[in-house]
Amino acid sequence: MGCVNTKHSKSALDLKYSVILASETSFTVNELEALYELFKKVSHSIIKDGLIHKEEFLLALFRNSKKKNLFADRVFDLFDEKHNGVIEFGEFVRSLSVFHPDASEEEKISFAFRLYDLRQTGFIERDELKNMVMALFDESELNLTEDAIESIVNATFEHADLKGDGKIDTEEWKEFTKNSPYLLRNMTLPYLKDLTMTFPSFVMNTEADESNMTK
């Protein structure tokens, strides 16, 4: 895959590259074409270089390119797999695929864990959870008292920190999310199920005949 150019600043998505991405994600080739149209709009909203910069990412999420929020920063960091400050189309698709209704629960659990594991140590510690809870409520424009936030953090650790060592590892997180399915509620975006129906104008002139392709 190294020979495939992932910086798609051109107007059409390369068919061979779309087949590769379809094999790696929950999206079909035609749905990838629809996503490519969305990607082009976002990646040309400010800098116009075919890559999504953080300002463009924030503008797409919050309609404000200057908004400061730990939640938005963390999501951007997870999409930016190469950690080079921009999101290429392949990174965009692979990360978005986690939110597809057909993506496995394990993928969603893993992504959610990495969202809270701010220092990338393989554990969620109390201060990391608290900071993310505050960021999530801030993003939702909900103002909670310090006591309310502490109560959420305490309750989470009471149920998730099974070893009682002051941190939550991946196995504890997996068990906790299975017992608290509401935590993954926002990890599924139903409209990703069939983008060709959601965005029909994006795929009217598709080159791909998916009846001859297998994922």
Side-chain angles (χ1 to χ4, degrees):
M1 199 172 84
C3 62
V4 180
N5 178 18
T6 59
K7 292 184 179 180
H8 292 284
S9 57
K10 54 189 178 182
S11 59
L13 179 62
D14 180 81
L15 181 56
K16 290 182 180 178
Y17 185 50
S18 66
V19 171
I20 291 172
L21 287 176
S23 71
E24 296 176 346
T25 67
S26 298
F27 297 113
T28 66
V29 172
N30 282 353
E31 287 170 343
L32 287 168
E33 291 187 16
L35 279 177
Y36 186 58
E37 293 300 320
L38 173 62
F39 179 84
K40 283 194 298 182
K41 289 182 178 180
V42 176
S43 64
H44 286 76
S45 59
I46 298 176
I47 300 178
K48 308 183 190 308
D49 62 356
L51 301 166
I52 296 178
H53 296 253
K54 182 171 285 189
E55 301 95 324
E56 293 169 321
F57 191 75
L58 294 175
L59 184 63
L61 280 182
F62 302 110
R63 298 184 181 181
N64 183 348
S65 63
K66 303 299 182 183
K67 184 178 178 71
K68 299 293 184 182
N69 181 278
L70 177 63
F71 169 71
D73 287 344
R74 191 71 191 116
V75 173
F76 181 88
D77 290 343
L78 292 180
F79 272 60
D80 177 17
E81 297 170 343
K82 294 181 179 179
H83 307 296
N84 59 356
V86 293
I87 300 172
E88 300 175 6
F89 181 64
E91 295 173 314
F92 178 73
V93 168
R94 283 188 289 269
S95 296
L96 200 58
S97 180
V98 174
F99 296 86
H100 194 285
D102 292 341
S104 69
E105 185 176 82
E106 287 71 23
E107 289 178 278
K108 298 178 187 295
I109 291 173
S110 175
F111 190 96
F113 181 87
R114 290 187 294 135
L115 190 67
Y116 285 91
D117 180 15
L118 301 178
R119 289 187 286 270
Q120 302 174 54
T121 60
F123 301 97
I124 300 173
E125 299 187 49
R126 182 176 290 272
D127 64 319
E128 293 176 311
L129 178 62
K130 181 177 179 178
N131 287 335
M132 277 300 298
V133 168
M134 292 170 62
L136 286 166
F137 281 113
D138 178 64
E139 190 271 328
S140 302
E141 297 184 346
L142 295 174
N143 295 316
L144 265 68
T145 65
E146 182 75 15
D147 287 344
I149 292 172
E150 283 292 342
S151 294
I152 292 172
V153 173
N154 290 337
T156 300
F157 266 80
E158 180 181 346
H159 291 92
D161 181 16
L162 302 178
K163 297 174 184 174
D165 56 3
K167 55 189 178 182
I168 302 167
D169 62 28
T170 53
E171 290 304 313
E172 290 172 322
W173 179 257
K174 186 181 296 185
E175 189 66 25
F176 179 56
T177 53
K178 286 183 177 179
N179 293 329
S180 309
Y182 66 89
L183 290 170
L184 300 181
R185 185 173 53 204
N186 293 329
M187 292 297 300
T188 297
L189 303 176
Y191 67 81
L192 293 178
K193 180 72 173 177
D194 192 349
L195 288 167
T196 59
M197 294 299 293
T198 310
F199 307 115
S201 61
F202 289 174
V203 291
M204 286 176 59
N205 300 313
T206 178
E207 300 176 51
D209 180 359
E210 295 202 40
S211 63
N212 295 323
M213 299 181 184
T214 57
K215 290 195 61 178

